[in-house]
Amino acid sequence: MWFELAFFRRVVDNWAIELSTSCRLQNVSPEVSTMRVPELKPFRMGSMAAVQHRATTRTSNSDSTKTAKSKTTSSSKTTTKRKRARTATATPPAALHGLASEAPAPTIEVSEPGQFGRINVMDITPAEERGIFPARVELGEPFEMTAQVFIEGRTKVGATAIVRNPRGKETLRRPMTCVNPGLDRWVVTVKCGDHSDLKPWEDGYAAVKRQLGEWTVTVEGWEDTYISWLHDARIKVRVKDDVNNALDSGAELLARWAATPDANLTARDRKTLEKAAETMADASLSAEDRLAAGDNPRIATLHDTHPLRDGISPSQPQRFKVERPKSSFAAWYQFFPRSEGATINPATGKIVQGTLKTSMVGLERAAAEGFDIVYLPPIFPIGVTNRKGRNNSLIAGPDDPGSPFGIGSELGGHDTVDPLLGTMDDFKALCQRAHELGLEIALDFALQCSPDHPWVKAHPAWFKHKPDDTIAFAENPPKKYQDIYPIDFNADMAGIEKEVERIMNLWIEAGVTIFRIDNPHTKPVRFWQDVIAAVTKKHPEILFLAEAFTRPGMMRALSYVGFTQSHCYFPWRNTKEELEEYLPTTNGDDGYYQHNTFWPTTPDILTAYVRDNGIAGHCVRAVLAALGSPSWGIYNGYELIENKQRPGFEEQIDNEKYEVKVRDWSKAKQFGVAEMLTSLNKIRRAHPAARSYHNLTVLQSSDPGVLAFARHTPAELTGTGHADTLIVVVNLDGHNAHQAMIHLDLDELGLPTDRPLNVRDELTGREFQWGWDNYVSLAPWADVAHILSVQ
């Protein structure tokens, strides 16, 4: 046929609401919902063939060339296809000849970038930076797209999002919703592929790998001829103005709709439209009954699911880089191997440090608490020159192990396992055991050296020198790092890149699947771009986490060049006001590039909030981290309430970076934090709503100490066939009870408005009924939070 059409959703609204040129969707009006739908029966003169003929012959009058092409295409279709979407060619009775009707909007070919189609589609978000850096999402992660879609005059339009995989195959088609008629802004939530938890070494991962790469989403604008007609027809029938022309036009429209391949109608749906067209064209019926044939819930449902789309105008395809499982949705657990299994020698009173072999117990603990990734600080030999002592003191005692970030000694550098921890075979065995437990191993890669590192002698040009030709140690005035030499990338960046690539490939072969990069923002962005490109070309499954706390521009650039996740400023966002601003930022447009990982504490970070709010504060921050971001992490010892600060610093006293910790893990049960962590990871795995950076809504709360937010994923994108909604309410005060009224905008969240919501607290199992406004009372000695799932 001369018109090209595809699939879209619309709802019929009260005709009196919209008289402007906006793109507001129209719902079925109250009077229509109660209108009698007449029995659909053939009318006496002409029946469906005449209506179909009028719908098709007018296209030949307006464009004979396209009609001829359509006939040729139609004649080549198979019998099966013809049954699904056929074009009527019956000869009309004389009584129906000569009735004129407006031609539908044609699809106008776009032959070069920048040309508009028949419908205008602009300002699509997320937008690629200079058309070079596509937005990043995890396989199966729901995300939001928006666009401006409009047409001239008061004609109604619709919009559809079409998702295609790297091979160009359409995998998803979803209608968009106009959320701001004044700005012609349309929104849709889509996903690229289906969520998976498969790890790179597991059976079946090859099928996941084939889905990774560059996907596209195209926004198709189109004229909503049915809604435009319905708006005017309701008015004309109501005021009895030019009724016959309006209804005849509607009959032709329904007949054309029934014959449109793009609508993808079933035989039953097509029959419904054909009968409706026959009834509407029957002049023996009253105007009200004729209108009701095309203005009723059955037709409205077809418009929702299989609309007639005229003048389809596709945008330029928007690219998305689809990454493997755990690139967005991940739970990290950090421990120091030298502290796992460490003991005190009863004879000497000295600490006997742990090893890679004794670290197996740390893997067991991480798996039992439900984490996905175990992150290890550097496991390389530690330098002796200027070695740091306890609490970062400048003088190390004879038994001080030094900081694992002072990398390199006469025993080796970044490609060597510290002999005090074990051998490369021990590390491979650790990775193998982690994989058996379903854990990935992330290794810290700090690109810095102690004065004893082999590179200092082999490649002196790789380091900055003072005028007196001595190498400068690292500093960030007033901070100084006397045990570290920083790399100078200006003399031989290509040589440094080649060496780093070699070392990373060595650890990948040993079992590492993720690198946590220390301070990547202090190295050239181009350096990381080259290294990550080279490593992932050979090992596309490798992920990179940036330990970067810096300016937004640098953070965005690091994400562009391949850092999949990033540390962020979450530890310092503790008040309700701060969190209400920060959560939508992390879970908004920034989340297409910078995947923030929420860590309540790290070896370098212990905030006053965690210090001052005890067990309740630890649980509050864990809830916020686990549900506030798809990616979160815990530094071990959190379960034991290790919250004493080093005086004058936002870090722990007796910092594990400078000494070996001997912990009594049997005490964890008395605090209950480990149980909370386990519950949070279980909730996250069970609920698709927890997996996306693009579905968080902050909720109104009447108390300044109570924060509330919701995560919602529609049924079409959960993979379960059911919508998933989580409502999180947190008492931010670790010492006092707080009460608040929590307001839910049920419409905005896509929740039922005609009945109470049955919600279940995933932390306690208790059930409640919620609605628009809901009373909550939380006491830190009882419940620090509700995590409510809508049943």
Side-chain angles (χ1 to χ4, degrees):
M1 302 177 70
W2 66 272
F3 49 88
E4 298 174 21
L5 307 160
F7 172 84
F8 183 66
R9 167 185 184 276
R10 289 298 280 242
V11 203
V12 185
D13 191 23
N14 188 335
W15 61 268
I17 294 178
E18 168 148 26
L19 295 176
S20 68
T21 60
S22 72
C23 65
R24 185 186 304 276
L25 293 176
Q26 297 182 337
N27 302 318
V28 179
S29 63
E31 60 268 31
V32 171
S33 65
T34 58
M35 185 180 296
R36 179 176 66 86
V37 179
E39 178 184 357
L40 298 179
K41 58 184 180 180
F43 56 95
R44 291 186 296 272
M45 291 291 294
S47 110
M48 186 60 199
V51 182
Q52 287 277 19
H53 181 85
R54 287 155 53 196
T56 55
T57 55
R58 93 168 165 269
T59 65
S60 65
N61 295 332
S62 62
D63 195 332
S64 59
T65 302
K66 290 186 176 180
T67 300
K69 181 179 179 181
S70 176
K71 288 180 179 179
T72 302
T73 303
S74 177
S75 65
S76 67
K77 295 184 182 295
T78 65
T79 302
T80 303
K81 186 69 175 178
R82 197 177 296 117
K83 288 180 179 179
R84 182 78 174 172
R86 58 185 171 84
T87 302
T89 58
T91 303
L96 297 179
H97 275 230
L99 292 181
S101 180
E102 294 182 2
T107 292
I108 300 177
E109 181 180 355
V110 173
S111 58
E112 61 185 52
Q115 281 187 326
F116 284 93
R118 182 63 186 87
I119 315 301
N120 310 300
V121 180
M122 302 192 313
D123 191 23
I124 299 174
T125 66
E128 302 174 23
E129 173 78 13
R130 294 180 293 159
I132 298 173
F133 301 109
R136 301 185 302 114
V137 293
E138 183 176 312
L139 181 68
E141 176 186 358
F143 60 93
E144 185 178 270
M145 292 195 67
T146 76
Q148 279 186 308
V149 183
F150 58 95
I151 194 173
E152 75 283 352
R154 64 186 190 88
T155 304
K156 313 305 179 196
V157 296
T160 307
I162 310 293
V163 180
R164 294 183 175 90
N165 67 16
R167 289 165 294 285
K169 180 181 179 181
E170 180 180 320
T171 64
L172 185 66
R173 175 178 291 218
R174 293 211 74 212
M176 302 181 75
T177 301
C178 187
V179 294
N180 191 325
L183 297 178
D184 302 304
R185 179 60 60 183
W186 296 73
V187 176
V188 68
T189 300
V190 295
K191 65 176 182 176
C192 296
D194 295 320
H195 172 76
S196 173
D197 286 315
L198 285 173
K199 312 295 193 304
W201 61 87
E202 292 180 329
D203 292 340
Y205 182 77
V208 171
K209 186 177 179 180
R210 285 193 295 270
Q211 298 182 69
L212 308 181
E214 189 174 288
W215 290 57
T216 63
V217 181
T218 302
V219 174
E220 294 183 342
W222 44 272
E223 180 180 338
D224 196 340
T225 312
Y226 171 75
I227 289 296
S228 296
W229 165 81
L230 183 62
H231 174 274
D232 290 351
R234 285 173 171 171
I235 298 174
K236 289 178 180 294
V237 170
R238 180 170 177 267
V239 301
K240 303 187 185 321
D241 174 39
D242 199 20
V243 172
N244 284 330
N245 279 326
L247 297 177
D248 284 344
S249 178
E252 290 187 301
L253 184 152
L254 295 177
R256 185 164 61 85
W257 184 357
T260 300
D262 176 74
N264 198 29
L265 298 163
T266 65
R268 182 178 180 181
D269 294 338
R270 195 167 59 244
K271 193 68 174 177
T272 296
L273 289 171
E274 290 172 350
K275 288 185 176 181
E278 293 172 3
T279 303
M280 191 176 294
D282 189 349
S284 68
L285 299 174
S286 69
E288 290 75 16
D289 283 351
R290 292 170 67 188
L291 176 62
D295 185 7
N296 60 70
R298 281 182 292 177
I299 304 299
T301 298
L302 283 180
H303 180 265
D304 287 350
T305 57
H306 302 279
L308 172 65
R309 305 192 311 158
D310 286 332
I312 297 172
S313 303
S315 70
Q316 287 294 315
Q318 303 297 300
R319 299 183 302 149
F320 288 84
K321 184 180 179 183
V322 177
E323 299 173 322
R324 76 161 174 90
K326 307 309 170 194
S327 63
S328 295
F329 182 65
W332 297 66
Y333 190 84
Q334 178 185 6
F335 65 74
F336 284 68
R338 69 188 186 185
S339 293
E340 289 297 328
T343 59
I344 296 177
N345 187 323
T348 63
K350 293 185 177 181
I351 294 175
V352 179
Q353 79 162 58
T355 65
L356 293 173
K357 290 182 178 179
T358 63
S359 293
M360 299 293 185
V361 67
L363 298 180
E364 302 283 350
R365 184 172 65 255
E369 293 181 6
F371 289 93
D372 307 309
I373 300 167
V374 165
Y375 154 48
L376 306 178
I379 58 171
F380 320 124
I382 299 172
V384 176
T385 301
N386 295 334
R387 175 177 286 189
K388 292 294 185 73
R390 293 185 62 188
N391 289 312
N392 201 27
S393 64
L394 294 178
I395 300 176
D399 298 318
D400 287 335
S403 168
F405 293 90
I407 298 169
S409 74
E410 62 180 9
L411 299 174
H414 288 76
D415 56 0
T416 307
V417 174
D418 185 346
L420 293 176
L421 291 175
T423 66
M424 181 62 81
D425 286 339
D426 292 335
F427 180 75
K428 291 179 179 178
L430 182 78
C431 291
Q432 179 61 36
R433 180 56 183 151
H435 294 175
E436 292 171 358
L437 293 169
L439 297 168
E440 298 196 45
I441 291 294
L443 182 62
D444 195 302
F445 195 90
L447 192 50
Q448 56 202 29
C449 303
S450 86
D452 306 317
H453 196 289
W455 288 352
V456 175
K457 291 183 179 179
H459 303 283
W462 289 2
F463 302 91
K464 291 183 178 180
H465 288 67
K466 297 179 181 180
D468 62 4
D469 205 34
T470 59
I471 297 177
F473 57 75
E475 58 180 325
N476 181 17
K479 292 183 178 181
K480 296 183 178 182
Y481 306 93
Q482 294 87 343
D483 59 337
I484 293 174
Y485 282 170
I487 304 292
D488 183 1
F489 293 87
N490 292 329
D492 183 19
M493 191 162 79
I496 302 170
E497 288 177 357
K498 185 176 180 180
E499 175 68 356
V500 169
E501 291 161 16
R502 178 190 73 82
I503 292 170
M504 286 187 168
N505 284 325
L506 180 149
W507 292 108
I508 292 168
E509 295 298 326
V512 170
T513 53
I514 303 173
F515 289 101
R516 181 267 198 190
I517 306 298
D518 188 74
N519 286 324
H521 58 291
T522 62
K523 287 80 176 174
V525 172
R526 175 58 184 269
F527 172 83
W528 293 120
Q529 188 171 32
D530 293 344
V531 168
I532 292 174
V535 171
T536 55
K537 181 177 181 180
K538 186 175 182 180
H539 301 284
E541 74 280 4
I542 300 303
L543 304 179
F544 291 83
L545 169 71
E547 189 262 345
F549 300 90
T550 186
R551 303 178 305 278
M554 175 60 79
M555 298 298 291
R556 178 62 66 90
L558 291 173
S559 73
Y560 284 164
V561 302
F563 280 93
T564 313
Q565 297 180 24
S566 177
H567 282 261
C568 64
Y569 290 102
F570 167 73
W572 297 280
R573 304 296 185 264
N574 292 287
T575 67
K576 179 181 178 181
E577 182 179 9
E578 291 168 342
L579 288 163
E580 286 186 339
E581 178 183 5
Y582 195 66
L583 290 176
T585 299
T586 285
N587 294 276
D589 287 347
D590 285 357
Y592 288 109
Y593 301 98
Q594 182 179 333
H595 292 168
N596 283 338
T597 302
F598 282 6
W599 295 76
T601 64
T602 75
D604 299 301
I605 302 169
L606 177 64
T607 62
Y609 181 93
V610 177
R611 177 196 66 196
D612 296 338
N613 283 275
I615 296 174
H618 280 65
C619 289
V620 164
R621 296 302 291 177
V623 170
L624 293 173
L627 277 304
S629 173
S631 182
W632 78 305
I634 290 292
Y635 164 46
N636 81 155
Y638 197 82
E639 304 97 317
L640 298 172
I641 317 298
E642 294 180 355
N643 64 339
K644 293 183 179 179
Q645 285 181 335
R646 175 184 168 202
F649 296 87
E650 274 193 331
E651 65 179 38
Q652 288 187 17
I653 196 168
D654 302 329
N655 195 304
E656 195 170 4
K657 284 175 60 177
Y658 307 104
E659 62 182 87
V660 176
K661 288 278 191 181
V662 179
R663 294 183 171 94
D664 182 358
W665 285 101
S666 66
K667 293 182 178 180
K669 292 183 178 179
Q670 73 186 59
F671 301 114
V673 175
E675 182 180 354
M676 172 65 84
L677 303 182
T678 305
S679 295
L680 291 172
N681 280 323
K682 182 178 179 180
I683 292 167
R684 283 164 47 88
R685 287 195 302 272
H687 287 277
R691 300 173 189 159
S692 176
Y693 276 95
H694 312 287
N695 66 351
L696 184 143
T697 302
V698 172
L699 304 177
Q700 295 179 24
S701 167
S702 62
D703 187 281
V706 176
L707 174 75
F709 59 92
R711 288 189 175 276
H712 174 76
T713 299
E716 298 87 346
L717 304 179
T718 59
T720 65
H722 303 284
D724 188 41
T725 304
L726 289 175
I727 302 167
V728 182
V729 186
V730 185
N731 177 8
L732 301 175
D733 187 341
H735 302 283
N736 302 291
H738 285 256
Q739 297 79 38
M741 294 298 296
I742 309 299
H743 178 71
L744 289 181
D745 190 326
L746 300 176
D747 287 325
E748 181 181 348
L749 292 172
L751 298 173
T753 60
D754 58 345
R755 56 179 173 79
L757 298 178
N758 294 317
V759 298
R760 180 181 184 274
D761 191 335
E762 296 291 328
L763 290 174
T764 64
R766 289 178 293 174
E767 296 187 354
F768 310 93
Q769 284 195 334
W770 272 42
W772 292 88
D773 294 284
N774 312 275
Y775 173 80
V776 169
S777 179
L778 294 170
W781 52 85
D783 299 308
V784 298
H786 288 314
I787 303 176
L788 306 173
S789 61
V790 178
Q791 302 299 295

